[in-house]
Amino acid sequence: EPEVTQTPSHQVTQMGQEVILRCVPISNHLYFYWYRQILGQKVEFLVSFYNNEISEKSEIFDDQFSVERPDGSNFTLKIRSTKLEDSAMYFCASSRLDQNTGELFFGEGSRLTVL
Amino acid sequence: GENVEQHPSTLSVQEGDSAVIKCTYSDSASNYFPWYKQELGKRPQLIIDIRSNVGEKKDQRIAVTLNKTAKHFSLHITETQPEDSAVYFCAASNTDKLIFGTGTRLQVFP
């Protein structure tokens, strides 16, 4: 069964450093997302991406965050200058159709620890 | 924007009993309501979903009901088993994003 894959599974970084989290969505999916989950809390929407551009973003997704689909398979989340409060599990997700129509498939997550 | 509230935050039941988790949402335009199960350290996994043109949906031991007038929806698990123990999240969507509830930690004791 196809699945969303994410790397790295865990990254530890120093405050102020840049981090790139990578995702390979399911191959025939068209909609891509990043969500985050601070330990013990709910899953929060960060950004949605369709047709090579951001379709929606939350207040969390400020100028320190960016997303990119550099080739036909990868979808990346970059945090330019990490802060302690960026420590969380970051989930990539994809769906074949938009959120009102298609099931969302999550990756296993990338745990980011900012020291 | 959309706000989703979920109750209870924790729920303990005996194996074989039923469990009910309730969510309310604020945006009347929301029309898609999935439920996710998340085991410790794992990804959220969709267990059932319902759209606004339907009032109830059932899949074996799991059912979801939706009351659009009252803006609430519920997850019902019957004949609970220890492997049902996990955190359950409801969510609502009317655009290109899901807004999640705060989660319910369900513990099923043998």
Side-chain angles (χ1 to χ4, degrees):
Chain A
E1 186 178 327
E3 56 180 36
V4 177
T5 58
Q6 289 185 242
T7 53
S9 56
H10 189 191
Q11 180 154 358
V12 181
T13 190
Q14 294 289 325
M15 191 169 56
Q17 294 296 303
E18 176 182 283
V19 159
I20 297 176
L21 306 178
R22 291 183 168 80
C23 168
V24 180
I26 294 173
S27 63
N28 64 345
H29 284 190
L30 301 176
Y31 295 80
F32 314 117
Y33 306 85
W34 284 99
Y35 286 80
R36 81 170 186 191
Q37 186 177 31
I38 295 170
L39 188 63
Q41 298 187 24
K42 67 178 177 181
V43 179
E44 299 175 289
F45 169 78
L46 291 179
V47 65
S48 58
F49 192 87
Y50 170 71
N51 201 26
N52 281 321
E53 59 183 26
I54 291 174
S55 48
E56 195 161 354
K57 58 184 181 179
S58 71
E59 292 174 352
I60 302 167
F61 195 88
D62 62 21
D63 291 345
Q64 293 300 312
F65 290 86
S66 62
V67 289
E68 196 177 32
R69 187 154 163 82
D71 53 42
S73 59
N74 289 285
F75 178 52
T76 61
L77 174 69
K78 182 194 289 187
I79 309 174
R80 214 176 325 276
S81 177
T82 49
K83 303 188 284 285
L84 295 175
E85 53 265 40
D86 293 329
S87 295
M89 180 74 93
Y90 288 81
F91 290 105
C92 175
S94 70
S95 66
R96 195 169 59 85
L97 303 170
D98 65 67
Q99 265 305 248
N100 281 347
T101 326
E103 178 181 345
L104 195 64
F105 291 82
F106 284 91
E108 288 284 5
S110 292
R111 180 168 297 286
L112 175 64
T113 303
V114 182
L115 302 176
Chain B
E2 177 64 279
N3 182 48
V4 178
E5 298 199 355
Q6 183 171 347
H7 301 280
S9 56
T10 59
L11 179 59
S12 297
V13 299
Q14 208 70 34
E15 182 177 2
D17 287 351
S18 295
V20 180
I21 302 170
K22 298 182 179 182
C23 287
T24 60
Y25 61 99
S26 60
D27 189 343
S28 55
S30 289
N31 56 10
Y32 175 59
F33 307 93
W35 286 88
Y36 286 84
K37 176 182 180 183
Q38 187 178 32
E39 295 174 351
L40 192 62
K42 302 283 190 181
R43 74 183 96 189
Q45 292 201 296
L46 180 73
I47 55 171
I48 195 167
D49 57 12
I50 192 167
R51 299 189 188 277
S52 58
N53 56 345
V54 174
E56 185 174 353
K57 185 176 176 182
K58 193 172 180 181
D59 182 4
Q60 299 182 354
R61 296 187 297 109
I62 295 172
V64 57
T65 58
L66 171 65
N67 183 328
K68 282 219 77 176
T69 304
K71 290 191 281 199
H72 64 70
F73 56 114
S74 301
L75 177 71
H76 304 251
I77 306 174
T78 58
E79 300 171 36
T80 53
Q81 300 164 3
E83 50 265 39
D84 293 331
S85 296
V87 178
Y88 291 79
F89 290 97
C90 63
S93 170
N94 71 334
T95 60
D96 198 22
K97 65 185 179 190
L98 287 179
I99 302 300
F100 284 81
T102 47
T104 297
R105 181 172 300 281
L106 174 65
Q107 286 185 294
V108 181
F109 292 99

